[in-house]
């Protein structure tokens, strides 16, 4: 039904000869808001809006007074309603707000859908952890979009994190009063009150913000029906049970936005902090807006402090939360409000999860530290995610924000007895090393069955995903003197080494195991781990010939002391490898060492290792410029690998066959037999891909592109080099990746293969 004000507005606009767009541009009121006023869908705009329109229409004198009065009458046309200025008033928007551009666009898109027929939810939930800026964002968006809601923007603090959240009936009452419902006309029945609320939201273009909601039941009665009214709810909880709402989860700010916010806060300081110091501050705060504001306020209120002073104070992790306070703003207090909301059984898991060394963790590990079944751990972790005390990570894993982890650690120290903490840590370390041992054994000859892993793929996934945890667990076990567990776990894990050779921490793993073997007085184990260390020093991307030779010589001495011919032979293999690397490059010495190794492996009957030394002798022959001798050695190795009666384990064949094929293909290529070499090299690449050995796959693709494809196959050469570059990039071998890309580009430009 058209209101008197609507008729007056439409008449005045036509008399002025203005279109809605022109009136909107002159008044600053949106076209949509003006259209709704003329159609009578807004009961009556706010006085400020009416005055802007009157100015644009050039109304003055009695006619202007009548126009304003008609708008006021539209707001109060029923005796049931009365003006209630000041109730549920929207807080001010902070002047230094920055960032959150995508989030503001998302909210604007939600509020743009204002037509009754729009088939979109009329409510949104903005969730996120403590201090992440949910309220600030909602208030900022409301101020920016206020002209779209001429009938009012209302804000209610639901006190969701307090001991006594505001009841839904009281929230409804406050909003209804703000919308003009008199107390004597206020429905007493909660359902009737919610019905009246939805009726008004169907008639009016209003925005209601319920801040800090505690639960679905607290805000469900406020969900609007159809019509132009909109609701935004902020909550630390996900409120996953609410139906028919749109959702926005707020994460900490990106570093660039957090630094921009800090710069804006510090704008009133007479001195500009150094950029590097501000970057360090932001890194220590993890992009948490509350922490950034506290740091900014501290630097403003203490002009004698520099940003570097505060960096020094915050650098000590055990003091960081204590330093993040300014007046009544305290990061720890914000976290505490969430912690107090946790059910009692969930709190110990939250505290003890701070002992996990890695960036994220699984529900299985949580079940170990919490001493509960995995399904129970999952439920408790979900409670922590729901309150923003944990974040859900990829692959069904969980992670702390750095500051929340510090808070959990503080609660652990305050609430858990020292002996309980120590026992929890021991249990976690023991489980990690036992599981690493079981996973590694899946890749040993015979592929030992394990109750922990149904297949090698599962074992591989666990080794890689949990590497940050088990690596630090090795160090923790060594510190507490559990050297046998360290030696056992690393011995098993070495079986996986070739499949993940580019992982940068293997030398640290083998060093820890070597130290434990020394503590145990086990000369054979010392020789084994020195050999593993020597191998890491011969890797092409981190070659250190003197270090490799030193480890190999020490390993040979210890192996002889222990009477371990096998480890002595491996020491000779590593001696040969060291002599292939500059500045020790001496290929004749390398060849002598590798031949001695072949003899020792034959004496101990180690067919697997003998196969590898045959392969090594062929590589050295190729280095010496004798591709025919190299081919002969590699073909002998290939015959052994492909002989079912050779005694080789299936695992050994799978692991070494792509190496043999690749080296054989390379020797064939050097002899000019490219037609034979290319299919063999492609087979090697395919086998490495199946094994997920990225470095081997990339290396053979590079050789394929550089050596085996001729000028008639330039496109194939270019494709091989490009793929090699991509693979090198995935494992952080940026120099090798750049080299391959450059070679591919040269071929594209006609530089040949």
């Amino acid at each position: 039904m058209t209101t008197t004000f609507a008729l007056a507005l439409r008449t005045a606009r036509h008399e002025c000869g203005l279109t809605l767009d022109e009136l909107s541009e002159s008044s600053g009121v949106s076209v949509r808001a003006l259209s709704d006023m003329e159609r009578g869908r807004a009961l009556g705009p706010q006085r400020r809006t009416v005055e802007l329109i009157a100015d644009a229409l050039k109304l003055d004198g009695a006619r202007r007074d009548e126009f304003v009065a008609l708008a006021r009458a539209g707001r109060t046309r029923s005796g049931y309603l009365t003006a209630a200025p000041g109730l549920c008033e929207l807080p001010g928007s902070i002047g230094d707000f920055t960032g959150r551009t995508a989030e503001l666009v998302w909210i604007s898109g939600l509020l743009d859908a204002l037509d009754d027929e729009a088939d979109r939810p009329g409510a949104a939930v903005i969730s996120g952890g403590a201090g992440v800026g949910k309220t600030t964002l909602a208030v900022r968006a409301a101020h920016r979009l206020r002209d779209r809601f001429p009938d009012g923007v209302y804000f209610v603090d639901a006190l969701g994190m307090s001991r006594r959240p505001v009841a839904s009936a009281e929230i409804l009452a406050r909003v209804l009063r703000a919308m003009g419902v008199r107390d004597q006309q206020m429905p007493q029945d909660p359902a009737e009150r919610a019905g009246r609320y939805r009726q008004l939201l169907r008639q009016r273009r209003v925005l209601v913000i319920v801040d800090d909601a505690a639960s679905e039941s607290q805000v469900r009665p406020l969900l609007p029906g159809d019509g132009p009214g909109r609701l935004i709810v902020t909550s630390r909880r996900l409120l996953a049970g609410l139906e028919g709402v749109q959702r926005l989860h707020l994460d900490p700010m990106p570093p660039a936005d957090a630094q921009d916010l800090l710069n804006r806060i510090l704008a009133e300081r007479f001195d500009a902090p150094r950029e590097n110091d501000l970057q360090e501050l932001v890194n220590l705060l993890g992009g948490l807006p509350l922490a950034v504001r506290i740091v900014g306020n501290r630097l403003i209120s203490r002009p004698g402090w520099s940003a570097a002073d505060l960096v020094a104070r915050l650098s000590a992790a055990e003091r960081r939360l204590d330093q993040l306070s300014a007046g009544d703003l305290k990061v720890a207090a914000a976290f505490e409000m969430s912690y107090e909301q946790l059910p009692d059984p969930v709190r110990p898991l939250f505290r003890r999860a701070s002992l996990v060394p890695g960036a994220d963790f699984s529900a299985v590990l949580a079940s170990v530290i919490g001493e509960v079944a995995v399904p129970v751990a999952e439920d408790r972790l979900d409670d922590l995610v729901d309150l923003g005390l944990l974040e859900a990570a990829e692959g069904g894993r969980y992670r702390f924000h750095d500051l929340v982890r510090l808070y959990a650690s503080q609660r652990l120290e305050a609430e858990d007895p020292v002996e309980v903490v120590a026992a929890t840590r021991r249990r976690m370390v023991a489980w990690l090393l036992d599981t690493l041992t079981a996973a590694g054994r899946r890749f040993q000859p015979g592929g030992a069955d394990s109750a922990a892993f149904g297949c090698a793929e599962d074992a591989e996934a666990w080794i890689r995903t949990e590497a940050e945890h088990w690596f630090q667990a090795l160090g923790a076990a060594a510190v507490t003197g559990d050297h046998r567990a360290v030696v056992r776990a690393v011995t098993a894990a070495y079986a996986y080494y070739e499949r993940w050779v580019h992982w940068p921490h293997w030398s640290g793993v083998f060093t820890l195991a070597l130290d434990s073997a020394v503590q145990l007085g086990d000369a054979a184990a010392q020789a084994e781990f020195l050999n593993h260390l020597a191998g890491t020093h011969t890797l092409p991307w981190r070659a250190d010939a003197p270090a490799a030779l030193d480890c190999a010589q020490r390993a040979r001495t210890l192996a002889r002391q222990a009477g371990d011919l096998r480890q002595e032979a491996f020491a000779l293999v590593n001696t040969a490898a060291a002599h292939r690397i500059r500045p020790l490059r001496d290929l004749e010495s390398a060849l002598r060492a590798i031949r001695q190794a072949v003899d020792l492996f034959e004496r101990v009957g180690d067919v697997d290792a003998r196969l590898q030394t045959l392969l090594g002798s062929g590589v050295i022959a190729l280095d010496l410029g004798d591709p025919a001798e190299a081919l002969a050695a590699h073909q002998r190795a290939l015959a052994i690998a492909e002989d079912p009666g050779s005694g080789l384990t299936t695992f050994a064949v799978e692991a070494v066959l792509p190496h043999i094929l690749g080296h054989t293909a390379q020797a064939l290529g050097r002899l000019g037999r490219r037609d034979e070499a290319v299919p063999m090299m492609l087979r090697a690449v395919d086998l490495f891909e199946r094994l997920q050995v990225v470095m081997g796959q990339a290396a053979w693709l590079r050789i394929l592109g550089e050596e085996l494809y001729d000028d008639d196959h330039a496109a194939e050469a270019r494709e091989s080099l490009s793929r090699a570059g991509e693979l090198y990039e995935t494992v952080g071998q940026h120099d090798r990746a750049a080299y391959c890309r450059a070679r591919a580009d040269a071929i594209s430009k006609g530089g040949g293969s």
Side-chain angles (χ1 to χ4, degrees), residues 6-27:
L7 180 60
L9 172 58
R10 189 163 57 250
T11 301
R13 181 172 65 81
H14 287 308
E15 288 176 354
C16 291
L18 295 175
T19 65
L20 279 175
D21 286 335
E22 290 168 340
L23 180 56
S24 173
E25 184 177 352
S26 300
S27 65

Side-chain angles (χ1 to χ4, degrees), residues 514-561:
L514 174 61
D515 292 343
S516 287
V518 170
Q519 293 298 319
L520 294 171
D522 187 336
Q526 292 175 56
E528 176 185 349
F529 297 127
L530 278 166
N531 273 323
H532 297 341
L533 274 173
T536 66
H537 291 307
T538 62
L539 295 172
W541 55 92
R542 53 170 301 175
D544 185 341
L549 185 60
D550 176 65
C551 288
Q553 290 174 339
R554 290 162 58 198
R556 190 177 184 191
T557 300
L558 286 162
R560 283 177 168 175
Q561 290 175 9

Side-chain angles (χ1 to χ4, degrees), residues 63-139:
R63 189 168 183 195
R64 181 187 183 95
D65 293 341
E66 180 184 4
F67 188 76
V68 172
L70 287 172
R72 184 167 58 249
R75 290 193 294 272
T76 60
R77 66 185 183 197
S78 170
Y80 186 78
L81 302 177
T82 183
L87 295 182
C88 300
E89 184 65 22
L90 183 67
S93 179
I94 59 173
D96 49 35
F97 184 95
T98 189
R100 303 299 194 196
T101 303
E103 291 85 352
L104 287 169
V105 169
W106 184 88
I107 296 172
S108 179
L110 167 73
L111 301 182
D112 269 341
L114 288 171
D115 293 335
D116 287 350
E117 63 273 17
D119 187 20
R120 295 181 62 180
V125 173
I126 302 175
S127 61
V132 81
K134 302 178 294 297
T135 303
T136 301
L137 173 66
V139 170

Side-chain angles (χ1 to χ4, degrees), residues 381-397:
L381 290 167
D382 286 344
D383 285 341
L384 293 169
V385 170
D386 189 50
L387 269 167
L389 290 170
L390 278 182
E391 301 169 13
E394 291 183 7
R397 296 171 70 81

Side-chain angles (χ1 to χ4, degrees), residues 62 91 231 236 312 395 412 452 456 474 511-512 599 705 745:
L231 171 70
R236 296 190 191 185
L412 181 72
L474 288 169
T511 299
L512 284 168
D599 292 341
D745 289 343

Side-chain angles (χ1 to χ4, degrees), residues 474-752:
L474 288 169
V479 168
T480 58
D482 194 0
H483 300 297
R484 294 190 185 282
V486 174
V487 168
R488 182 174 62 251
V490 177
T491 299
Y494 179 71
Y496 185 70
Y497 169 75
E498 284 288 341
R499 294 174 180 246
W500 201 24
V501 70
H502 60 273
W503 187 53
H505 299 298
W506 283 117
S507 60
V509 169
F510 300 143
T511 299
L512 284 168
L514 174 61
D515 292 343
S516 287
V518 170
Q519 293 298 319
L520 294 171
D522 187 336
Q526 292 175 56
E528 176 185 349
F529 297 127
L530 278 166
N531 273 323
H532 297 341
L533 274 173
T536 66
H537 291 307
T538 62
L539 295 172
W541 55 92
R542 53 170 301 175
D544 185 341
L549 185 60
D550 176 65
C551 288
Q553 290 174 339
R554 290 162 58 198
R556 190 177 184 191
T557 300
L558 286 162
R560 283 177 168 175
Q561 290 175 9
D564 190 329
L565 293 179
R566 188 170 181 274
Q567 288 303 324
E568 183 180 353
F570 277 121
L572 286 165
V573 171
N574 288 318
T575 298
H579 281 304
R580 292 182 60 224
I581 304 171
R582 300 186 190 281
L584 301 181
R585 190 170 177 84
D586 181 350
L587 297 179
E588 295 295 341
S589 295
L591 191 58
R592 283 194 299 273
I594 202 77
R595 285 172 175 169
Q596 287 179 275
V598 171
D599 292 341
L600 285 177
F601 283 130
E602 283 185 312
R603 286 174 59 186
V604 298
D606 191 330
V607 183
D608 291 0
R610 179 172 175 268
L611 181 66
Q612 293 184 41
T613 51
L614 272 173
L615 182 63
S617 67
V619 171
I620 295 171
L622 195 65
D623 287 344
L624 283 166
D626 191 345
E629 175 63 24
L631 180 61
H634 293 150
Q635 286 178 329
R636 287 198 300 274
L638 186 59
I640 295 171
E642 293 182 333
D643 179 7
S646 65
L648 284 172
T649 63
T650 302
F651 171 80
V653 173
E654 289 179 351
V656 79
L657 184 58
H659 291 280
I660 298 173
L661 290 170
H663 285 298
T664 304
Q666 190 176 24
L668 286 168
R670 297 280 178 91
L671 290 169
R673 297 161 62 178
R674 293 183 176 180
D675 289 346
E676 299 172 68
V678 169
M680 188 172 288
M681 186 66 86
L682 288 171
R683 184 183 169 197
V685 169
D686 182 60
L687 289 174
F688 270 133
E689 184 174 10
R690 293 182 193 177
L691 292 172
Q692 298 183 1
V693 179
V694 175
M695 292 299 293
Q697 188 183 352
W700 291 146
L701 281 168
R702 178 186 62 78
I703 292 172
L704 186 64
E706 281 197 300
E707 298 186 21
L708 300 187
Y709 282 126
D710 55 25
D711 291 341
D712 292 334
H713 298 83
E716 291 88 343
R718 182 175 61 251
E719 173 64 19
S720 294
L721 287 163
S722 297
R723 285 179 60 202
E726 292 170 0
L727 289 166
Y728 278 130
E729 201 69 60
T730 64
V731 292
Q733 297 292 311
H734 305 302
D735 291 344
R736 289 169 178 265
Y739 172 82
C740 290
R741 287 194 297 268
R743 295 290 293 120
D745 289 343
I747 294 172
S748 297
K749 296 173 183 176

